[in-house]
Amino acid sequence: MDPHQDPPLQQESQKYDAEDAGDGRPADNSSSNINDTTSDSDPEALAQVPSGLAYSVFSKSTKRWIVTMIAFSSFVSPMTANIYFPALVPIARDLDVSVSMINLTLTTYMIFQAIAPTLVGDLADAAGRRPAFLICFVIYIFANLGLALQKNFAALLVLRMVQSAGSSGTVALSFAVIADVAVSAERGKYMGIVGAGINIGPALSPVFGGLLAEYLGWPAIFWFCMIYAAVWLIPYALTVPETCRNVVGNGSIPAQSWWNMTAVDLCRARRRKRNGESLGGARTKQKLRFPNPFNTLKVAFEKDLALLLFYGTLTYLVFILIAATLSTELEAIYHYSDLQLGLCYLPYGVGCCFAAVMQGYILDHNYRRIARKIGFTIDYKRGDDLSNFPIEKARILPASPFLLAGVAAVICYGWVLHFETHVAGPLALVFLIGLCVTGSFSILNTLLVDLYPEAPATAVAAMNLVRCLFGAGGTAVIEYMLRVMGRGWTFTFWGLVLVLFSPILWVLTKWGPGWREERRVRKLKEEEKERAVTSRP
């Protein structure tokens, strides 16, 4: 069984074999048409499989619209975490508390940033992406409204936690939507687009925060966040369809619950109900239930996923520690203003964006290269059965040179700061760190979604849980390390940590496919037992 296919849909393969390579037109069921389409759009594409159910029936234009909206939503979580930094001192002054007390709001924010996605991810995989997005953004909008109006520290502390709960699940949801609509062979470029949205946040939000705090006052930061979320939420609620494969399959099965329907779908459903028509092919109506956060923890107990989570977390930890200390180190060396420090994040953001877009095309190219090498036939229409494909190798090989260059950049960055060279030195190295280290982390996230296709939001939520907890610990000790070890040896230490644990990637390449197959067989046996139990009279 293809781990990406949805078994209940197999019965409807003739009815809904509607899209050829994503162009939205009915297929003529001829292999020549499929091959012609592929050869025109991608000269490196391999022969296509001419029968079976399409992986996704959404047209190319619909996919582009979905990915565009998801990319803008993925901007919210990193923006919210970083836009706050330039305003710490004026907030402390206006609320008459110390900066250390304001820093407590950062700690509680990161704790909720780790916990909230475990709930959101399970909700999204069970009830659908739309209700999860709608709940998250409604919470986020009201939290920002309260933050903009509050005038005391207790309200700030509580509402920042609520704000984190609303925003932090959007990253897991974004990656899950890509897994819903894109086959493995083209998933890299779509992940790259979403990754660009995620990586722009840490770069641009300190600049926005500095400008808003300096010219309009710090409450304007929260008004800006609220307006951004509201402007995004309206077109999403009205036009973006449900994509969760547990709810609508490949997009051909009509959603039954109003929260899974767009405004157009809801109007059509009501008209059909008035006319006495049924929604053919519809599944049982989804029920909203309280999500189970322990489903996220199950991911960490799979051998291959646990290793991937661990090394991905180390990669994240390296670049987040650099981002967290960049402003304080540059202020101490060059005595820049808050606005100038915010602008110093731009090279890092530019590097992240280049990495996100570039790594997508590199991943897709390497996927085709390996498929051609082993004689594997890529099916862009229906998705590939990865049980016979070394997806670990296809993803990890492109990450290796990025990691090597990233480690060198991290070590050099520490010593450039140590010798207090011209500011061009650290800024150029920050660009390389954003390009290489953050790019490697994005590649590992793509592999995580490939390895856990049945619940991608839950898998990404597991990564989010581990990395945020490690990030909270790392940011708590980094200042002490800098003070005791010095800038050069501190960042040399973190670069060598990546080198020390890099054999994990080799282990995943060698034994990962076997562990993945064990998990697939185990899940099939569990499904058979469940069917046997439910079929008993």
Side-chain angles (χ1 to χ4, degrees):
M1 180 184 292
D2 184 346
H4 293 270
Q5 297 279 338
D6 198 350
L9 287 176
Q10 303 298 331
Q11 301 173 356
E12 303 181 23
S13 60
Q14 298 300 321
K15 182 176 181 180
Y16 293 111
D17 192 2
E19 183 189 84
D20 182 21
D23 61 3
R25 296 172 296 182
D28 63 1
N29 296 322
S30 66
S31 59
S32 60
N33 180 51
I34 295 173
N35 288 324
D36 289 345
T37 304
T38 305
S39 62
D40 289 341
S41 60
D42 187 356
E44 297 188 67
L46 303 179
Q48 307 295 300
V49 179
S51 62
L53 185 65
Y55 184 83
S56 174
V57 300
F58 295 114
S59 66
K60 283 186 177 180
S61 59
T62 301
K63 282 185 181 179
R64 291 191 188 104
W65 173 241
I66 292 172
V67 173
T68 299
M69 289 296 294
I70 294 310
F72 278 101
S73 76
S74 67
F75 179 76
V76 169
S77 180
M79 173 190 72
T80 307
N82 291 273
I83 198 171
Y84 186 64
F85 291 158
L88 296 181
V89 174
I91 290 176
R93 183 174 58 248
D94 289 355
L95 299 184
D96 195 25
V97 296
S98 65
V99 174
S100 61
M101 289 289 288
I102 297 297
N103 284 336
L104 182 61
T105 67
L106 301 179
T107 303
T108 55
Y109 182 94
M110 292 192 72
I111 292 173
F112 271 75
Q113 193 177 33
I115 296 173
T118 64
L119 301 172
V120 174
D122 185 59
L123 173 66
D125 286 330
R129 316 302 183 208
R130 281 181 57 86
F133 267 120
L134 294 174
I135 291 171
C136 284
F137 271 83
V138 169
I139 292 173
Y140 181 74
I141 287 172
F142 280 101
N144 279 296
L145 177 62
L147 284 166
L149 298 175
Q150 56 80 28
K151 296 297 181 182
N152 65 77
F153 175 75
L156 175 70
L157 182 67
V158 172
L159 288 171
R160 274 287 285 178
M161 290 188 283
V162 177
Q163 184 193 43
S164 177
S167 66
S168 57
T170 57
V171 173
L173 293 175
S174 299
F175 283 124
V177 170
I178 299 302
D180 293 335
V181 302
V183 297
S184 299
E186 62 177 6
R187 191 169 291 160
K189 66 181 179 183
Y190 289 118
M191 286 287 198
I193 294 172
V194 172
I198 294 172
N199 293 321
I200 287 174
L204 294 185
S205 54
V207 180
F208 292 159
L211 289 171
L212 291 169
E214 184 167 343
Y215 294 107
L216 297 176
W218 59 263
I221 291 175
F222 302 115
W223 287 117
F224 172 82
C225 292
M226 187 191 76
I227 294 170
Y228 182 96
V231 169
W232 181 91
L233 184 60
I234 293 171
Y236 177 84
L238 295 177
T239 64
V240 177
E242 179 61 68
T243 62
C244 180
R245 303 182 74 81
N246 292 329
V247 178
V248 296
N250 64 353
S252 60
I253 297 178
Q256 287 291 283
S257 302
W258 65 265
W259 51 75
N260 296 119
M261 299 181 185
T262 64
V264 175
D265 293 335
L266 193 59
C267 291
R268 288 175 179 171
R270 288 179 175 175
R271 185 170 62 249
R272 289 181 179 180
K273 188 175 182 179
R274 285 197 303 269
N275 297 336
E277 301 176 13
S278 62
L279 297 176
R283 290 182 177 177
T284 304
K285 186 175 181 179
Q286 296 290 321
K287 294 182 179 180
L288 285 179
R289 59 169 176 80
F290 190 81
N292 182 7
F294 294 104
N295 286 338
T296 300
L297 299 180
K298 293 178 182 178
V299 177
F301 289 99
E302 300 288 349
K303 286 176 283 191
D304 54 341
L305 297 175
L307 289 174
L308 184 60
L309 289 176
F310 178 70
Y311 197 78
T313 296
L314 291 180
T315 307
Y316 167 82
L317 193 56
V318 169
F319 72 75
I320 200 63
L321 292 179
I322 291 174
T325 58
L326 179 64
S327 60
T328 55
E329 293 304 309
L330 294 186
E331 195 278 333
I333 297 171
Y334 305 107
H335 310 292
Y336 285 160
S337 67
D338 290 341
L339 182 57
Q340 289 174 315
L341 292 173
L343 293 173
C344 289
Y345 281 87
L346 288 178
Y348 171 74
V350 172
C352 291
C353 293
F354 270 118
V357 176
M358 184 174 61
Q359 61 97 4
Y361 289 97
I362 292 174
L363 286 180
D364 290 346
H365 172 76
N366 196 58
Y367 187 102
R368 295 192 299 267
R369 184 186 66 82
I370 291 180
R372 191 162 48 240
K373 184 177 180 180
I374 66 175
F376 181 86
T377 301
I378 295 178
D379 188 355
Y380 285 93
K381 181 178 180 182
R382 296 159 190 85
D384 297 325
D385 181 357
L386 296 182
S387 61
N388 300 312
F389 184 81
I391 189 64
E392 293 85 356
K393 183 178 181 180
R395 302 309 193 202
I396 290 174
L397 280 182
S400 300
F402 277 95
L403 276 170
L404 183 63
V407 167
V410 169
I411 294 174
C412 291
Y413 170 78
W415 291 106
V416 164
L417 290 181
H418 176 79
F419 291 111
E420 300 186 0
T421 65
H422 189 275
V423 71
L427 293 186
L429 289 166
V430 162
F431 168 82
L432 290 176
I433 291 167
L435 179 68
C436 298
V437 181
T438 311
S440 301
F441 177 72
S442 299
I443 291 174
L444 297 179
N445 263 326
T446 303
L447 176 59
L448 181 65
V449 171
D450 289 326
L451 295 181
Y452 211 72
E454 62 271 21
T458 301
V460 178
M463 174 70 85
N464 189 84
L465 173 66
V466 178
R467 70 179 175 87
C468 285
L469 292 178
F470 272 73
T475 53
V477 302
I478 187 63
E479 291 295 338
Y480 177 78
M481 292 181 66
L482 287 167
R483 187 168 62 253
V484 173
M485 300 172 61
R487 297 168 183 140
W489 287 114
T490 295
F491 291 108
T492 297
F493 169 82
W494 286 111
L496 293 179
V497 165
L498 289 182
V499 175
L500 178 64
F501 289 99
S502 60
I504 287 176
L505 300 179
W506 176 81
V507 170
L508 285 172
T509 303
K510 185 172 180 61
W511 286 290
W515 294 334
R516 175 161 49 94
E517 180 63 15
E518 289 177 7
R519 180 167 62 253
R520 188 185 72 88
V521 172
R522 186 177 71 247
K523 289 184 180 296
L524 286 177
K525 290 180 179 179
E526 291 173 356
E527 291 172 1
E528 289 175 1
K529 289 181 181 179
E530 290 178 3
R531 284 195 294 268
V533 171
T534 55
S535 62
R536 290 175 183 173

